[in-house]
Amino acid sequence: MSAAQTGTSEPARRATMGDIARHLGISKAAVSYALNGQPGVAAATRERVLEVAQEMGWHASSSARALSGSQTQVVGLVLSRPPDLLTTETFFMRFLAGVESVLSERGWSLLLRVIGDHPADEMATYERWWGERRIDGVILLDERYRDPRVDLVERIGLPAVLCGGPVKGVGIPCLWTDQSGDAGLVVQHLADLGHRRIGHVAGPGEFVHERARRRGLRRAAAALGVEVVTVEAAYTGPESEEATRRLLTGDAPPTAVVFGSDVMALGGVRTAAALGVRVPQEVSFVSWDDSQLTSLVAPRLTALQRDTPAFGRLAATVLLDAVAGRRPVRIQVPPSVLVARESSGPAPA
Amino acid sequence: MSAAQTGTSEPARRATMGDIARHLGISKAAVSYALNGQPGVAAATRERVLEVAQEMGWHASSSARALSGSQTQVVGLVLSRPPDLLTTETFFMRFLAGVESVLSERGWSLLLRVIGDHPADEMATYERWWGERRIDGVILLDERYRDPRVDLVERIGLPAVLCGGPVKGVGIPCLWTDQSGDAGLVVQHLADLGHRRIGHVAGPGEFVHERARRRGLRRAAAALGVEVVTVEAAYTGPESEEATRRLLTGDAPPTAVVFGSDVMALGGVRTAAALGVRVPQEVSFVSWDDSQLTSLVAPRLTALQRDTPAFGRLAATVLLDAVAGRRPVRIQVPPSVLVARESSGPAPA
DNA sequence: AGCGGTTGCTGAACGGGGTAAGTAGATTTC
DNA sequence: GAAATCTACTTACCCCGTTCAGCAACCGCT
């Protein structure tokens, strides 16, 4: 019967530094110096230690290391959005993949919590993780107005990086996106195609980046003599369908609609199909987030594309810098690129 | 300047049991008994300890606890699929959410690694995590033929649960799906609608569950006098588009197609649109996995629906049992339900 | 008074690493 | 030739929570 079958009742003995020391007849300290590349051991001894460690399949106990070194080499991430959104929206997975690539490259790990849309739980999780010394830092996604998470991490001294809209006056490192610039790309694209009345199915206004997008769209539109009508919806298909329906069936419907996410844009496509409105002949659609999904539907969606895995990599890198004690930085992520596909075309005459 | 700004250079002092003991003028041991609900302390003392602990914001150091208790209360999960697939396929997020709900309920955490399709990396990760005492168990997704991960976890004594096709003769707990039963649902549905020639765009045959599906489809079809043609493709949109094109443009094209995943089914929809083949009037589509995506496209897809979060919850529960030393079980997950939507209809005359 | 039993606590060791301080022995320096 | 300096180690203690053995003080019982 294997150890796996009996679980903890027959725990597998894993080698420790003490085992190596005993095997070679030297002290634990010498083994430690040898394994960590520290001076103070003869080259020959070091070699024998490394050999035996390899042979015994030795790995440093993360607990022991954390206990003495006070670093866990673990980064925390809480995904707090309504469950159905998390599972539909591919942003999180793409971001996660980027974060992970940096972490695993440096031998760090990611502690993940998936919770519903309960800000209190999110805060409690950070506090507990930090209190229990489980993590060395956290990535904060989706900045909100007067975000209480910023106060929390500053108060308890938890290194963090804030990913969100343009941020002012917070003492932690931030990644911000130029939503105005991105808005300009969309409006320009649609204006070039002759559209003069643009609908905007926006995500919840509690998020800093959503407000920034609305501002950006208004300004860009004003500069080009275009009108923008914003309607707000949750980041879900059904809510977006409903919002799109309101836009397209109202008085003076827009000839183009911008959606706050790929999932919302897909909802829009469904509504257009249901109403018998052809895309892009009668209405043009643009998604404010690109993913494989936008290419999986017909017509393929014109979308603002940004390198989300790169965003995740950047977040991880900045966080590791913060953990290492670097002064907080404020970094602008590379601007999006507008990928024109089949869902946007000339405005109807 | 806050501690967060200076990172490790000014580490936040977090309270320890020693602090509580000193503050109350009692021993560390008494504090430990009080905090853990152990006998050996007077009720009044216990109360004072808990009060002070609360006041100081004390949390047990997970490292110290793991070091003496030899449990980390952490479960590992490696997602190893091509990056673009992980980010498109919503299965993983839904599964993850289910796993997480059980873990967080019991105060456990999830250590996540996202890697490309490199089985060797996956194995190395398990070995390292276990060697470093970072985890108490792992969830193995997507069983393959002669899966080397099973040998590994049995050899090193790492508690695990295997999620995959029907499994025989492995010594670790397994969750298996009755793919034959599910296949029967699909074939029956299509046969009832008059289809006599069914296409099957299947995922890679290296996965146990994919082979089981093919077998199940063949048997169910034979029993009902229906023909099945299987073509294999990777779990991606483009590959599925291509496979669908081969099926629909070949000699004697099928009147219905079953797809191995929701993403593949969306690829099929695009191909049908591109070829001008109407769904469901000219060809019916069924997806062998349901998600929000299937309702986001037009037409909405008929799909085999299973409760993926519940699957994740079950996996977590079984793993925690295994960690606790329970004998390995083999559990069948509840069968899928066929949700008929707009993409399947009567066979064309 | 003497005995066993319970209650409520303390001291010490342990787990597995890291590291400052100390110490032989060999080598260099003046 | 004595002193200073290296080299290659060892000893000892730290991190923090758990746990075992020990020990007074107090209880009721004979």
Side-chain angles (χ1 to χ4, degrees):
Chain A
M1 192 184 270
S2 80
Q5 285 184 342
T6 52
T8 52
S9 57
E10 188 192 289
R13 265 279 300 157
R14 281 163 280 180
T16 72
M17 280 186 2
D19 297 334
I20 300 175
R22 213 171 313 114
H23 186 263
L24 289 172
I26 59 177
S27 71
K28 256 178 33 178
V31 173
S32 173
Y33 293 140
L35 290 171
N36 293 306
Q38 303 267 56
V41 259
T45 311
R46 185 187 303 273
E47 213 165 293
R48 278 189 305 148
V49 169
L50 292 174
E51 210 170 278
V52 173
Q54 174 84 29
E55 217 168 82
M56 291 185 167
W58 178 86
H59 290 269
S61 152
S62 59
S63 318
R65 209 166 239 175
L67 194 55
S68 75
S70 72
Q71 259 216 357
T72 59
Q73 316 237 82
V74 174
V75 159
L77 179 64
V78 176
L79 299 181
S80 77
R81 286 282 188 93
D84 57 330
L85 173 62
L86 274 176
T87 59
T88 321
E89 195 76 68
T90 63
F91 170 85
F92 299 102
M93 251 322 172
R94 286 178 285 147
F95 182 80
L96 212 58
V99 169
E100 248 301 310
S101 68
V102 170
L103 294 183
S104 55
E105 201 174 89
R106 310 211 195 169
W108 284 54
S109 300
L110 183 77
L111 205 58
L112 184 74
R113 173 126 308 160
V114 182
I115 58 180
D117 198 8
H118 304 294
D121 283 3
E122 185 177 346
M123 311 260 288
T125 298
Y126 296 138
E127 211 161 351
R128 214 184 123 204
W129 276 351
W130 181 238
E132 293 179 347
R133 287 80 154 172
R134 279 193 190 279
I135 53 166
D136 295 331
V138 288
I139 295 173
L140 305 178
L141 276 177
D142 296 323
E143 195 200 357
R144 295 162 193 232
Y145 277 95
R146 280 182 289 281
D147 202 316
R149 299 173 302 173
V150 175
D151 296 330
L152 176 72
V153 299
E154 290 197 311
R155 182 165 56 73
I156 66 180
L158 168 58
V161 58
L162 181 63
C163 305
V167 204
K168 310 191 194 77
V170 303
I172 66 174
C174 302
L175 301 186
W176 67 280
T177 307
D178 177 15
Q179 306 288 355
S180 292
D182 289 359
L185 291 175
V186 175
V187 176
Q188 187 70 58
H189 172 71
L190 293 173
D192 286 351
L193 288 167
H195 296 274
R196 290 293 168 262
R197 192 171 161 76
I198 300 176
H200 176 208
V201 177
E206 64 185 303
F207 296 113
V208 170
H209 67 266
E210 284 294 341
R211 296 274 191 100
R213 287 179 180 180
R214 294 177 202 185
R215 262 200 315 277
L217 280 181
R218 270 203 310 275
R219 285 205 198 128
L224 293 169
V226 174
E227 194 184 343
V228 172
V229 186
T230 294
V231 294
E232 182 170 318
Y235 285 121
T236 65
E239 279 238 17
S240 171
E241 287 183 37
E242 179 50 35
T244 308
R245 186 179 299 271
R246 284 205 306 276
L247 278 177
L248 297 185
T249 59
D251 302 337
T255 60
V257 182
V258 188
F259 295 89
S261 77
D262 49 353
V263 169
M264 293 176 104
L266 296 195
V269 170
R270 268 196 45 74
T271 293
L275 294 174
V277 177
R278 286 171 306 151
V279 181
Q281 291 84 352
E282 296 171 77
V283 66
S284 287
F285 281 174
V286 177
S287 166
W288 204 313
D289 194 9
D290 199 22
S291 74
Q292 257 94 358
L293 294 189
T294 55
S295 302
L296 281 173
V297 292
R300 286 190 289 215
L301 296 171
T302 294
L304 271 183
Q305 184 177 63
R306 63 171 170 176
D307 190 343
T308 305
F311 183 37
R313 288 196 296 274
L314 187 59
T317 307
V318 169
L319 178 58
L320 291 183
D321 281 351
V323 170
R326 284 262 302 269
R327 299 264 312 287
V329 291
R330 191 155 307 159
I331 296 183
Q332 182 185 344
V333 303
S336 302
V337 174
L338 190 130
V339 181
R341 297 206 185 88
E342 302 155 5
S343 71
S344 61
Chain B
M1 191 184 268
S2 79
Q5 287 182 342
T6 51
T8 51
S9 58
E10 187 194 288
R13 266 277 303 157
R14 281 163 279 181
T16 72
M17 280 188 0
D19 296 334
I20 300 175
R22 212 169 315 112
H23 187 262
L24 288 173
I26 59 177
S27 68
K28 260 179 26 180
V31 173
S32 172
Y33 293 140
L35 290 170
N36 292 305
Q38 303 267 54
V41 260
T45 311
R46 184 186 305 274
E47 215 165 291
R48 279 189 304 147
V49 169
L50 292 173
E51 213 169 276
V52 173
Q54 175 85 24
E55 218 168 84
M56 292 185 167
W58 177 88
H59 290 269
S61 151
S62 59
S63 319
R65 211 167 237 174
L67 194 54
S68 72
S70 72
Q71 259 215 357
T72 61
Q73 316 239 85
V74 174
V75 160
L77 179 63
V78 176
L79 299 181
S80 76
R81 286 282 187 91
D84 56 330
L85 174 62
L86 274 176
T87 60
T88 323
E89 196 76 69
T90 63
F91 170 86
F92 298 102
M93 254 316 175
R94 287 178 284 149
F95 183 80
L96 213 58
V99 169
E100 249 300 311
S101 69
V102 170
L103 293 184
S104 55
E105 200 174 273
R106 309 210 196 171
W108 284 53
S109 300
L110 183 75
L111 204 59
L112 184 73
R113 173 125 308 159
V114 182
I115 58 180
D117 200 7
H118 304 294
D121 283 4
E122 185 177 345
M123 310 261 288
T125 299
Y126 295 138
E127 212 159 352
R128 215 183 123 206
W129 276 352
W130 181 239
E132 293 179 348
R133 286 81 156 171
R134 279 193 190 279
I135 52 165
D136 294 331
V138 288
I139 295 172
L140 305 178
L141 276 178
D142 296 323
E143 194 199 358
R144 293 161 194 234
Y145 276 95
R146 279 181 290 281
D147 202 316
R149 299 174 302 172
V150 175
D151 295 332
L152 176 72
V153 299
E154 290 197 312
R155 183 164 56 74
I156 65 180
L158 168 58
V161 58
L162 180 63
C163 304
V167 205
K168 311 192 192 76
V170 302
I172 66 174
C174 302
L175 301 186
W176 68 280
T177 307
D178 178 15
Q179 305 289 355
S180 291
D182 289 358
L185 292 176
V186 176
V187 176
Q188 186 70 58
H189 172 72
L190 293 174
D192 286 351
L193 288 167
H195 297 275
R196 289 291 168 264
R197 192 168 161 75
I198 300 176
H200 176 207
V201 177
E206 65 186 300
F207 296 114
V208 169
H209 67 268
E210 283 295 341
R211 296 273 191 99
R213 288 179 180 180
R214 294 178 201 184
R215 261 199 316 276
L217 280 181
R218 269 204 310 277
R219 286 207 198 126
L224 293 170
V226 175
E227 195 183 342
V228 172
V229 185
T230 294
V231 292
E232 183 169 317
Y235 285 120
T236 65
E239 279 239 17
S240 171
E241 285 183 38
E242 178 49 36
T244 308
R245 185 179 301 271
R246 283 207 307 276
L247 277 177
L248 297 186
T249 58
D251 302 337
T255 60
V257 182
V258 187
F259 295 88
S261 76
D262 49 354
V263 170
M264 293 176 102
L266 296 196
V269 170
R270 268 196 45 74
T271 293
L275 294 175
V277 178
R278 286 170 305 150
V279 181
Q281 292 83 353
E282 295 171 78
V283 64
S284 287
F285 281 174
V286 178
S287 166
W288 204 313
D289 195 9
D290 198 21
S291 74
Q292 258 93 357
L293 294 189
T294 55
S295 301
L296 281 173
V297 291
R300 287 190 289 215
L301 295 171
T302 295
L304 271 182
Q305 184 176 65
R306 64 171 170 173
D307 190 342
T308 305
F311 184 37
R313 287 197 296 274
L314 188 59
T317 307
V318 169
L319 177 58
L320 292 184
D321 282 350
V323 170
R326 284 263 303 267
R327 299 263 313 285
V329 291
R330 192 155 306 160
I331 296 183
Q332 182 185 344
V333 302
S336 302
V337 174
L338 190 129
V339 181
R341 297 204 185 89
E342 302 155 6
S343 71
S344 60

